[in-house]
Amino acid sequence: MDEKTSRTSKIAAAILMVINLIIMIFCTLLFAFSLWMIASPSSLSTAIQFTGSPTVMALLEPEVLTVQLGVAIAVLATFLFFISFMGFYGALTKSQFLLFMYATLVLLLLLLECALLFYFSSGLMEKGVRKEDGQWSHAIRLALTCCEHNNTSPEIDRPPWSCCGPGGYPNNCTSSNIYKKNCHEAISSWLQRYQTAIYALLAATHLILASCSLIRRRRSASRFLS
């Protein structure tokens, strides 16, 4: 029985270490990207232009690469790295305190992510795509190949470039080649199809990580008491 418990603890530790190591690497790259944005947004914009991807160039145009955005990304990357390191190091050293804190933070993150998802999805369902949403509105149009305008709209003389796809950037979008699908209908259809699955995936991922952390912590506590 003790051997089986030990094997389970090792599996839980392996899952924690692998997943959190991947997240830590991603956060490091994201933090480096944010530092580049803060230090030299012009050179970052030049590098993005060399990628050759119309979608990336359009969504990450020079006006978007601001110091404020860089600082926000750096803070987010640091926060997620801190949590992931806590899980990785706690699993490696069998620290009861780190494993408990990690499990708690993972569950709190689940609640926060579900709340944010509900807030943004409700806003999209109610208000649809709005011009003031900035790059988010462009990203939604490109992802769903939709447009909230149509050929009879009075403002159709200059539709947003994303209504015509990446090729419409920056001023090549006209009423003759806009997406025919309505954005509000496309968003509603997409959310009805995938929203439950997204909630389930978020819950499953966070619960698995929290459970692995508590399993590893329980094994560590039993060895300490023995």
Side-chain angles (χ1 to χ4, degrees):
M1 183 68 179
D2 186 65
E3 182 180 350
K4 183 178 179 180
T5 304
S6 178
R7 188 183 304 115
T8 304
S9 176
K10 290 179 180 179
I11 294 174
I15 293 173
L16 287 173
M17 292 173 66
V18 170
I19 293 179
N20 284 294
L21 180 61
I22 294 173
I23 297 175
M24 287 163 60
I25 293 173
F26 174 76
C27 288
T28 301
L29 295 175
L30 191 62
F31 185 78
F33 178 81
S34 68
L35 289 183
W36 193 356
M37 190 184 304
I38 294 171
S40 181
S42 59
S43 64
L44 176 58
S45 178
T46 302
I48 290 173
Q49 300 303 313
F50 279 110
T51 62
S53 172
T55 302
V56 174
M57 289 189 293
L59 292 178
L60 296 180
E61 55 187 358
E63 292 76 11
V64 177
L65 305 176
T66 62
V67 174
Q68 292 81 358
L69 178 61
V71 171
I73 294 175
V75 171
L76 177 62
T78 302
F79 176 67
L80 294 178
F81 182 92
F82 173 75
I83 295 177
S84 298
F85 179 78
M86 187 182 296
F88 178 87
Y89 191 72
L92 181 65
T93 61
K94 304 177 185 178
S95 170
Q96 297 182 48
F97 173 75
L98 290 179
L99 290 170
F100 176 77
M101 288 299 299
Y102 176 77
T104 303
L105 290 173
V106 164
L107 293 177
L108 290 176
L109 275 179
L110 172 61
L111 297 177
L112 177 61
E113 290 167 8
C114 288
L116 289 175
L117 178 60
F118 177 78
Y119 172 78
F120 286 113
S121 62
S122 299
L124 285 173
M125 288 284 287
E126 180 182 353
K127 301 176 183 178
V129 177
R130 298 172 299 171
K131 183 178 180 180
E132 54 268 28
D133 291 333
Q135 298 304 104
W136 283 111
S137 63
H138 295 309
I140 291 172
R141 295 188 194 102
L142 293 174
L144 300 179
T145 61
C146 65
C147 184
E148 67 274 22
H149 302 273
N150 56 54
N151 291 329
T152 61
S153 300
E155 69 275 20
I156 201 62
D157 293 337
R158 185 58 64 86
W161 64 263
S162 51
C163 276
C164 299
Y169 180 82
N171 297 309
N172 300 323
C173 189
T174 63
S175 59
S176 60
N177 58 349
I178 62 173
Y179 291 133
K180 306 304 180 185
K181 191 190 307 182
N182 180 271
C183 272
H184 189 272
E185 295 175 358
I187 291 170
S188 300
S189 175
W190 191 91
L191 288 175
Q192 289 175 3
R193 180 177 300 179
Y194 296 110
Q195 190 172 29
T196 303
I198 293 173
Y199 279 117
L201 180 61
L202 283 175
T205 302
H206 287 72
L207 290 175
I208 288 173
L209 290 175
S211 299
C212 288
S213 179
L214 294 177
I215 289 172
R216 184 65 168 168
R217 181 178 183 272
R218 182 180 179 184
R219 174 61 181 170
S220 175
S222 63
R223 290 189 61 182
F224 177 78
L225 292 174
S226 61

